[in-house]
Amino acid sequence: MTESQTAVRPERRAELAAGLARVRARIADACAAAGRQRDAVTLVAVTKTYPASDVVALAGLGVTDVGENRDQEAAPKAEAVADAGAAPRWHFIGQLQRNKARSVVRYADVVQSVDSVRLAAALDAAAGAVRDRPLDVLVQVSIDGDPARGGALPGAADPQRGLDPVAAAVAGADGLRLAGLMAVAPLGWEPDRAFARLAEVAAALRADHPGATMLSAGMSGDLESAIGHGATHVRVGSALLGMRPALR
């Protein structure tokens, strides 16, 4: 990627600055309403389909964490952003195939979407081969327990996708660190119902794994509810960056 492709146009920087101000105000208001300190919540800018220049601009505006969903887009983007001199903390937040593990662990600081023992094992092997420190991992939780969708299943006996076996696999892996949980509110659920349930699951996890304190929940449309129920990280795309370009 050339320097011109990571150069930031002044008008785009202004757009991003305005979006960032609005999102930061929403987070601050939600923290105040919940009686939480503003620094208890981290904004993860979801930059999938947006150019590397936007990541560079956001880093210049003080955004420290960015999220990506697809390795084929994220890997070259992370390289381009690093070449431009920016160093955000990269979160991989999409569904991850095991054969992509070796690529993802090279640039991701956090993988938020681990939902099976097999995926945890693949990430552990890859991290041990190419990293000099453990990879932070969030176990993705299925709030409604639907096995047809992504997410580990709370209370399930499934040895591959049950939440307890997945969390134990991550916690016991030398190349990984169990940092907490991630979830998306299920379609058809009110956000308060979804995130109240997630808070219960997170509290149970922390009883067994006290260091698993991260809780990634809430997006552009429901971040206030997520913060009200204890989210430490909110994943925001369109409210920050504008209308999303079509996937190619």
Side-chain angles (χ1 to χ4, degrees):
M1 189 171 290
T2 66
E3 183 176 347
S4 64
Q5 290 173 295
T6 55
V8 182
R9 294 180 291 108
E11 60 271 28
R12 179 55 174 161
R13 187 182 192 280
E15 291 172 355
L16 293 171
L20 180 59
R22 290 191 294 268
V23 171
R24 282 175 167 166
R26 287 177 62 188
I27 294 173
D29 289 347
C31 287
R36 302 177 63 191
Q37 295 295 312
R38 170 61 186 87
D39 61 4
V41 178
T42 297
L43 168 64
V44 179
V46 179
T47 55
K48 65 178 183 180
T49 77
Y50 295 98
S53 58
D54 279 1
V55 181
V56 173
L58 288 169
L61 292 166
V63 171
T64 57
D65 294 67
V66 297
E68 287 284 333
N69 286 54
R70 300 187 304 165
D71 175 65
Q72 60 266 41
E73 177 185 352
K77 188 182 294 185
E79 183 177 0
V81 169
D83 288 346
R89 181 171 167 83
W90 292 92
H91 297 245
F92 190 87
I93 60 178
Q95 291 298 302
L96 179 59
Q97 296 176 320
R98 297 197 301 275
N99 63 3
K100 297 290 188 180
R102 185 174 285 267
S103 175
V104 167
V105 301
R106 293 182 183 276
Y107 60 84
D109 300 287
V110 186
V111 174
Q112 294 201 11
S113 50
V114 174
D115 63 357
S116 73
V117 171
R118 290 188 184 92
L119 179 55
L123 282 171
D124 181 35
V130 304
R131 294 175 62 91
D132 59 5
R133 64 189 186 281
L135 174 73
D136 279 352
V137 164
L138 303 186
V139 176
Q140 182 176 349
V141 175
S142 171
I143 292 175
D144 62 1
D146 185 347
R149 291 198 291 269
L153 307 171
D158 187 322
Q160 276 299 322
R161 289 193 57 197
L163 176 57
D164 289 344
V166 177
V170 175
D174 291 338
L176 310 178
R177 186 182 80 87
L178 178 61
L181 297 178
M182 180 272 266
V184 179
L187 291 175
W189 283 49
E190 288 296 322
D192 280 341
R193 177 191 175 200
F195 296 134
R197 170 61 179 146
L198 177 61
E200 295 173 354
V201 174
L205 180 77
R206 289 193 299 271
D208 293 329
H209 304 280
T213 57
M214 285 177 61
L215 186 60
S216 175
M219 299 184 289
S220 292
D222 57 15
L223 66 86
E224 287 85 359
S225 176
I227 290 171
H229 290 285
T232 63
H233 291 68
V234 292
R235 310 179 303 274
V236 180
S238 59
L240 175 61
L241 292 115
M243 293 301 293
R244 187 177 303 284
L247 285 171
R248 294 180 299 276

